[in-house]
Amino acid sequence: MNAYQPLPITVLTVDDHPLFQQGIASVIANEPDLYLVGQAANGAEGIALFREKRPAVTLIDLQMPDMSGIDVIVAIRAEFPAARIVVLTTLEGDVNAARAIKVGAVGYLFKSSVRKTLLETVRIVHAGGQCIPPSLAHALLATRNGNAITGREVDVLKLVAHGNSNVSIAEALSLSPETVKGYVSSILLKLQARDRAHAVLIALQRGILSL
């Protein structure tokens, strides 16, 4: 009589990049305890496939053309609150991570490290754990400790991103130039940016600003 063999961990991927999907499939194919049950090319297809396949772990890209990964997570968890979801992204931004975690993601996987960390992440998440990269966990902790960009600072940063001077920003927001200067200094400090352009770049990478 054959020894008892546990059922494999079923995995669904939701990503609009075919080559990346192929890469995930090739990694999973060699693992006897994992089984890829479906690959969706967009958010709507991902939601439909989740309903059909009920995977143990779902990998979802944050940035897709039809709907964001955040919206897909919200839709899936509205129907299936116990869904175990890992976010796939190229962005090392704590703002994006915080949003994903807030709506129910339990893992965060950088696409650049998929071949190194995918298998461990899926297994940890399936076992009931949370898998957040150390660098990201540190950034999230810093945000909780008071280094978060405020709503007004985001307003200022948006205008900085469009090349506005402090005087122009002050006029647009009905503030004094000195107040705007204070906001800019606070933004540079919180983002650890060298200058205004660097601050905008960091804000885009972290998801504080979007193109």
Side-chain angles (χ1 to χ4, degrees):
M1 182 179 294
N2 293 331
Y4 170 73
Q5 294 292 329
L7 294 174
I9 301 168
T10 52
V11 179
L12 169 67
T13 61
V14 186
D15 193 295
D16 63 320
H17 296 91
L19 289 178
F20 186 73
Q21 292 265 37
Q22 291 173 19
I24 290 179
S26 67
V27 173
I28 291 177
N30 297 321
E31 303 301 314
D33 63 326
L34 303 181
Y35 179 64
L36 188 62
V37 294
Q39 293 182 300
N42 56 61
E45 185 181 345
I47 295 168
L49 267 177
F50 189 97
R51 291 192 188 109
E52 177 187 348
K53 303 294 185 179
R54 308 291 177 90
V57 177
T58 303
L59 311 174
I60 299 177
D61 187 11
L62 270 187
Q63 295 182 303
M64 292 181 287
D66 65 325
M67 61 192 300
S68 73
I70 300 293
D71 291 336
V72 177
I73 296 170
V74 169
I76 289 175
R77 284 182 56 83
E79 291 186 52
F80 308 96
R84 306 293 290 172
I85 296 173
V86 174
V87 166
L88 294 167
T89 185
T90 57
L91 303 173
E92 299 194 15
D94 54 286
V95 172
N96 291 300
R99 289 173 184 158
I101 292 168
K102 185 176 181 179
V103 298
V106 291
Y108 205 86
L109 189 61
F110 297 133
K111 288 188 173 183
S112 59
S113 64
V114 159
R115 290 195 175 273
K116 293 181 180 179
T117 59
L118 171 65
L119 301 177
E120 180 184 18
T121 298
V122 169
R123 290 170 179 138
I124 289 173
V125 166
H126 177 254
Q130 189 178 53
C131 202
I132 309 296
S135 61
L136 191 53
H138 177 75
L140 287 169
L141 180 61
T143 298
R144 295 193 189 105
N145 288 341
N147 289 328
I149 301 296
T150 67
R152 183 50 107 184
E153 287 169 345
V154 171
D155 292 338
V156 170
L157 196 51
K158 286 178 181 177
L159 293 170
V160 168
H162 286 89
N164 290 281
S165 66
N166 284 358
V167 173
S168 297
I169 294 170
E171 291 176 354
L173 299 178
S174 299
L175 300 170
S176 71
E178 284 302 312
T179 299
V180 172
K181 183 178 179 181
Y183 277 129
V184 172
S185 295
S186 176
I187 290 167
L188 295 179
L189 180 63
K190 287 180 178 180
L191 297 181
Q192 299 182 341
R194 296 186 301 273
D195 50 37
R196 294 158 73 100
H198 189 211
V200 171
L201 176 61
I202 293 171
L204 288 169
Q205 291 174 335
R206 287 177 52 179
I208 297 167
L209 296 181
S210 57
L211 295 174

